[in-house]
Amino acid sequence: MQWLFSAHGAAGALSAFSAFSAPAAPAQAIASLALLPPWFLVTAAALLGLVVGSFLNVVVHRLPRMMEHDEANYIASLRDDPLPHPETYNLMVPRSACPHCGHAIGALENIPVLSYLALRGRCSACKAPIGKRYPLVEAGTALLTALAAAHFGPTWQALAAIALIWALIALTLIDADTQLLPDQITLPLLWLGLLLNLGGLFAPLADAVTGAAAGYLLLWTVYWAFKLVRGKEGMGYGDFKLMAALGGWFGWQALPALVLLSSVVGLVFALANIALRRQDRDTHFAFGPYIAGAGLLVLFFGANVLPLGLAG
């Protein structure tokens, strides 16, 4: 966080803006960001996080339904049946609307956090309550985006970290809602981590490739061992892919921390839910949020977030 508190003046900000007025190489653009006052960049990151958080709410709600529609349409097409979902349904179409009365949400009703407060958490048309998770996701995304900007400063690492944070937020909420970790997010996340580490952004490429393979195989082995012993599945393939993606981002040295943190926290929550009788021993629960949480801890604190971390 030391970068956040370094001093820059208005002259640096003007120099940075002038650098953007002409075509510049990506490296020059990043360098020019260093001329901006730290408070400005962190504030800008927070505002961007608010906007992206609002979009992530859409992704979390619609992506699983898009997958269901695509699967149902595909099966119907194989049978030469009429498509059950012929209408256009994606992240942009149709417009967002109140799930209770169908009121189309206007621009002024869609300002992150502020609209929720102005509307007092209720639809402007039917007065039905709006879920508190919407502003919480927006505010949480803003906070984590600002923390990444403050922690990494004006670097490529900051931009990559912010993209990772957004993906982990979406995966956490989708898995919590549906116990799905969509390939549409986990696989691009895996490849992006490996591509970024071509230049060793977070880990040497060899460590990243090893981390991706080992992360997948580790949970795959646990899955099959559990299935052979208990005769049922203990986790999903999306968990393997998410662990592989994080291994590809941070290298194999981060796997002990990732596995231990996610497993211990997941076990504590599961036991707590069983003790509170919210679920029984055979109830499945989403493991992805705990993997994602471990990934955030490693992102900000490194593989040595646990004493058993093996990073040098």
Side-chain angles (χ1 to χ4, degrees):
M1 298 285 185
Q2 183 177 4
W3 172 85
L4 177 61
F5 301 102
S6 60
H8 292 275
L14 291 174
S15 299
F17 282 121
S18 65
F20 280 112
S21 63
Q28 293 174 319
I30 290 293
S32 65
L33 289 176
L35 301 176
L36 292 169
W39 64 264
F40 178 87
L41 287 180
V42 174
T43 303
L47 293 175
L48 177 62
L50 281 173
V51 175
V52 172
S54 180
F55 178 69
L56 291 182
N57 277 320
V58 177
V59 173
V60 170
H61 177 76
R62 295 195 181 191
L63 183 55
R65 289 163 179 78
M66 290 165 55
M67 295 166 62
E68 292 175 1
H69 289 189
D70 289 345
E71 182 179 5
N73 285 341
Y74 176 72
I75 293 173
S77 67
L78 292 178
R79 297 172 176 172
D80 291 327
D81 292 338
L83 298 182
H85 303 286
E87 71 282 355
T88 300
Y89 187 84
N90 53 43
L91 297 179
M92 301 299 177
V93 178
R95 286 180 58 185
S96 296
C98 173
H100 301 281
C101 68
H103 166 70
I105 298 175
L108 292 179
E109 298 172 303
N110 208 24
I111 301 172
V113 179
L114 294 180
S115 291
Y116 180 88
L117 296 175
L119 294 170
R120 297 184 179 180
R122 294 188 176 274
C123 172
S124 62
C126 68
K127 306 305 178 184
I130 301 170
K132 293 180 181 179
R133 192 171 83 173
Y134 292 104
L136 290 176
V137 170
E138 293 163 354
T141 305
L143 175 61
L144 288 173
T145 303
L147 285 176
H151 183 77
F152 292 102
T155 62
W156 287 111
Q157 277 190 323
L159 296 177
I162 288 170
L164 175 61
I165 287 169
W166 294 344
L168 292 178
I169 291 172
L171 288 169
T172 293
L173 296 173
I174 291 174
D175 198 22
D177 288 345
T178 65
Q179 295 192 6
L180 292 173
L181 289 169
D183 287 350
Q184 291 90 331
I185 301 178
T186 56
L187 295 183
L189 195 64
L190 167 61
W191 294 115
L192 178 60
L194 294 176
L195 288 173
L196 290 173
N197 284 325
L198 283 173
L201 192 65
F202 290 98
L205 182 60
D207 291 351
V209 172
T210 304
Y216 187 95
L217 290 174
L218 181 61
L219 292 193
W220 180 87
T221 302
V222 173
Y223 166 88
W224 280 106
F226 185 86
K227 189 171 184 178
L228 289 173
V229 173
R230 297 292 303 275
K232 59 183 179 180
E233 297 180 352
M235 63 180 69
Y237 278 69
D239 298 320
F240 314 164
K241 297 169 189 175
L242 179 54
M243 187 64 75
L246 293 176
W249 275 72
F250 302 124
W252 65 266
Q253 295 91 339
L255 289 177
L258 290 169
V259 172
L260 287 173
L261 281 170
S262 58
S263 299
V264 170
V265 176
L267 179 61
V268 169
F269 272 86
L271 292 176
N273 283 330
I274 292 172
L276 295 173
R277 297 184 179 179
R278 295 176 181 172
Q279 65 183 50
D280 57 41
R281 295 178 59 185
D282 295 324
T283 301
H284 291 278
F285 69 96
F287 189 45
Y290 306 110
I291 300 175
L296 289 176
L297 289 174
V298 170
L299 174 66
F300 284 107
F301 299 104
N304 287 322
V305 64
L306 289 180
L308 295 178
L310 300 180

